[in-house]
């Protein structure tokens, strides 16, 4: 039931603080302030390489996880979209962990990739939202998300729940490998516990984003820019906008603009910049200035500090709470989801059932 919401997608966006808290509660021990994973009968700390495979939004969650796992745990991570994975004959060496991410647990390409990895002696871990799904049954390590049923075709709450589990996995792996001490683990746990409140803070911008949607709705093309773990969020923002509003959108790593895409910029192309203040901020802002210098209309999504520094001259800004880099991708998911949602509402498209799309893609 949609309750007071107009669409399932809207309801699911607003459920995120609750379902993320629900998901995190099974990966955090409050008493010991530690991160925990379900029982497993293999040596996670001894894993030599991690291969992540997924599709669509779940793939973008995997891209964020690559940054986290490599940064915190120093384990090398490969990542592919499932439809490409098998056909490049990937090198799968003994001692490898293959990690699959899927809301449904039934996506045909992801499942085929899972079976390919199994046949090549990889240990199989899955992050899935449907605990009775095929992928869940075939895994050595099941890492459930507790998002509840996701009805809207565009994935929203499943994505932030996937990120929650993946953050816990990265932290646990770092602890096991001696890369994260008790003090840092406690700090990470604190940040994770604060995440639902930060998501709530992000959701308070709903009305403002609904008004802003009128600026974006007339566009034919929209670009999204981000750096580091916020680059996959740029890709996710573009995917959400395309699939429900049918506006052509692309996400780019901010630093790639000058290698080609900047040629697209003119007054008709809104550019959404995802830039939390922090070590990557200055670089992203200088990419943003390059866009502005060419007449590009920028919407800056940042925190108060970032907006104070670089918000001038933007057509709009959306102020996120100041958050730890580990949880920024979770929090910044909210404004890009809301923006896509409201633009689709302005355009009057079928938000929950976009044309040509199915909720679960069971053909390859
Ligand atoms: C986008 C979207 C899709 C799915 C993709 C994978 O909003 O929902 O891109 O993320 O089809 O589906 P799952 O996660 O079920 O494997």
């Amino acid at each position: 039931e949609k309750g007071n919401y107009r669409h399932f997608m809207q309801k699911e966006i607003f459920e995120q603080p609750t379902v993320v808290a629900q998901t995190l509660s099974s990966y955090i021990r409050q008493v010991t302030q530690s991160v925990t994973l379900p029982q497993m009968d293999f040596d996670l700390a001894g894993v030599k390489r991690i291969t992540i495979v997924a599709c669509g939004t779940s793939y973008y969650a995997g891209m964020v996880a690559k940054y986290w796992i490599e940064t915190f745990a120093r384990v090398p991570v490969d990542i592919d979209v499932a439809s490409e994975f098998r056909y490049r004959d990937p090198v799968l060496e003994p001692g490898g962990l293959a990690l699959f991410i899927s809301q449904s647990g039934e996506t045909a390409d992801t499942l085929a990739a899972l079976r390919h990895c199994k046949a090549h002696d990889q240990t199989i871990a899955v992050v899935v939202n449907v605990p009775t799904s095929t992928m869940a049954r075939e895994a050595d390590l099941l890492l459930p998300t507790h998002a509840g049923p996701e009805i809207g075709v565009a994935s929203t709450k499943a994505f932030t729940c996937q990120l929650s589990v993946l953050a816990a996995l990265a932290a646990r792996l770092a602890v096991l490998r001696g890369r994260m001490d008790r003090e840092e683990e406690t700090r990470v746990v604190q940040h994770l516990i604060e995440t639902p409140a930060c998501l709530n803070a992000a959701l308070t911008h709903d009305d403002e984003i609904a008004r802003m949607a009128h600026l974006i709705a007339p566009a034919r093309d929209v670009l999204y820019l981000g750096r580091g773990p916020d680059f996959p969020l740029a890709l996710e923002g573009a995917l959400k906008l395309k699939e429900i509003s049918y506006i052509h959108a692309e996400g780019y790593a901010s630093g790639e603009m000058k290698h080609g895409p900047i040629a697209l910029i003119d007054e008709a192309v809104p550019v959404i910049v995802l830039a939390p203040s922090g070590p990557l901020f200055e670089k992203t802002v200088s990419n943003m200035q390059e866009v502005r210098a060419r007449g590009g209309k920028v919407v800056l999504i940042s925190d108060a500090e970032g907006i104070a520094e670089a918000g001038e001259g933007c057509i709009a800004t959306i102020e996120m709470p100041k958050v730890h880099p580990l949880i920024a991708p979770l929090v910044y998911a909210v404004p890009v989801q809301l923006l896509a949602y409201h633009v689709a509402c302005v355009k009057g498209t079928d938000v929950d059932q976009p044309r040509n799309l199915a909720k679960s893609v069971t053909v390859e």
Side-chain angles (χ1 to χ4, degrees):
E1 246 323 293
K2 288 197 285 258
N4 292 329
Y5 294 100
R6 257 180 86 191
H7 299 101
F8 281 108
M9 182 183 177
Q10 185 190 27
K11 172 172 177 266
E12 289 161 3
I13 290 172
F14 278 85
E15 274 172 4
Q16 290 179 112
T18 311
V19 294
V20 161
Q22 217 159 278
T23 299
L24 283 170
S25 71
S26 55
Y27 294 88
I28 285 172
R29 286 222 179 88
Q30 295 261 14
V31 204
T32 50
Q33 294 279 295
S34 56
V35 179
T36 174
L37 296 177
Q39 281 286 338
M40 61 193 97
D41 57 10
F42 64 93
D43 173 26
L44 183 59
V47 158
K48 301 251 169 4
R49 175 172 285 275
I50 297 179
T51 304
I52 301 180
V53 185
C55 299
T57 290
S58 297
Y59 170 74
Y60 298 144
M63 280 181 75
V64 175
K66 174 181 162 78
Y67 284 94
W68 284 342
I69 293 170
E70 292 189 334
T71 306
F72 292 108
R74 310 302 297 160
V75 182
V77 176
D78 283 324
I79 174 156
D80 278 279
V81 288
S83 56
E84 287 295 317
F85 177 70
R86 277 174 306 150
Y87 305 107
R88 72 171 173 88
D89 198 7
V91 180
L92 296 167
E93 282 168 351
L97 177 75
L99 172 63
F100 302 87
I101 306 166
S102 176
Q103 186 284 126
S104 60
E106 304 295 347
T107 301
D109 281 313
T110 310
L111 184 58
L114 184 157
R115 290 176 174 157
H116 180 89
C117 287
K118 201 166 226 185
H120 288 77
D121 295 323
Q122 302 294 291
T123 303
I124 309 296
V126 301
V127 176
V128 290
N129 193 43
V130 181
T132 52
S133 61
T134 313
M135 283 182 220
R137 284 199 306 273
E138 298 194 9
D140 300 305
L141 174 60
L142 170 59
L143 301 168
T145 48
H146 303 292
E150 192 179 61
I151 313 285
V153 163
S155 187
T156 53
K157 63 175 181 170
F159 177 68
T160 42
C161 287
Q162 288 165 347
L163 290 177
S164 306
V165 172
L166 293 164
L169 173 66
R172 182 67 192 146
L173 201 55
V175 169
L176 289 174
R177 289 172 53 86
R179 295 276 177 177
M180 188 180 281
D181 59 20
R182 274 299 298 150
E183 199 182 320
E184 200 184 338
E185 184 181 12
T186 311
R187 209 163 28 236
V188 165
V189 168
Q190 277 313 320
H191 289 300
L192 291 175
I193 290 172
E194 285 162 17
T195 305
C198 297
L199 293 171
N200 268 319
L203 285 167
T204 61
H205 296 278
D206 186 42
D207 288 342
E208 184 190 333
I209 295 173
R211 287 191 296 275
M212 211 177 282
H214 293 273
L215 300 174
I216 309 296
R220 211 187 59 177
D221 310 281
V222 177
L223 299 185
Y224 287 74
L225 304 182
R227 226 173 230 275
D230 300 297
F231 164 44
L233 264 295
L235 297 172
E236 169 61 3
L239 177 62
K240 284 290 95 95
L241 190 72
K242 289 188 253 225
E243 69 177 328
I244 62 169
S245 78
Y246 315 145
I247 295 176
H248 170 244
E250 297 299 333
Y252 288 102
S254 320
E256 270 296 294
M257 282 303 281
K258 54 181 156 309
H259 300 288
I262 200 157
L264 294 171
I265 301 297
D266 63 22
E267 324 60 71
V269 183
V271 181
I272 319 291
V273 178
L274 300 158
S277 65
L280 303 176
F281 184 76
E282 297 301 330
K283 287 248 157 65
T284 306
V285 166
S286 81
N287 303 134
M288 185 179 105
Q289 309 300 17
E290 291 159 12
V291 167
R292 285 241 306 269
R294 283 151 188 92
K297 291 207 179 94
V298 174
V299 174
L300 174 64
I301 310 182
S302 184
D303 43 44
E305 200 181 311
I307 289 172
E309 190 177 327
E312 217 181 283
C314 294
I315 58 161
T317 57
I318 310 175
E319 188 185 317
M320 292 293 102
K322 168 100 180 134
V323 289
H324 188 268
L326 178 68
I327 63 168
L330 277 123
V331 176
Y332 282 65
V334 171
V336 298
Q337 294 165 348
L338 285 173
L339 189 61
Y341 173 74
H342 287 297
V343 170
C345 289
V346 171
K347 299 201 76 174
T349 54
D350 187 345
V351 171
D352 285 333
Q353 291 286 330
R355 67 186 183 201
N356 311 341
L357 289 169
K359 181 67 186 159
S360 182
V361 183
T362 51
V363 289
E364 287 186 40

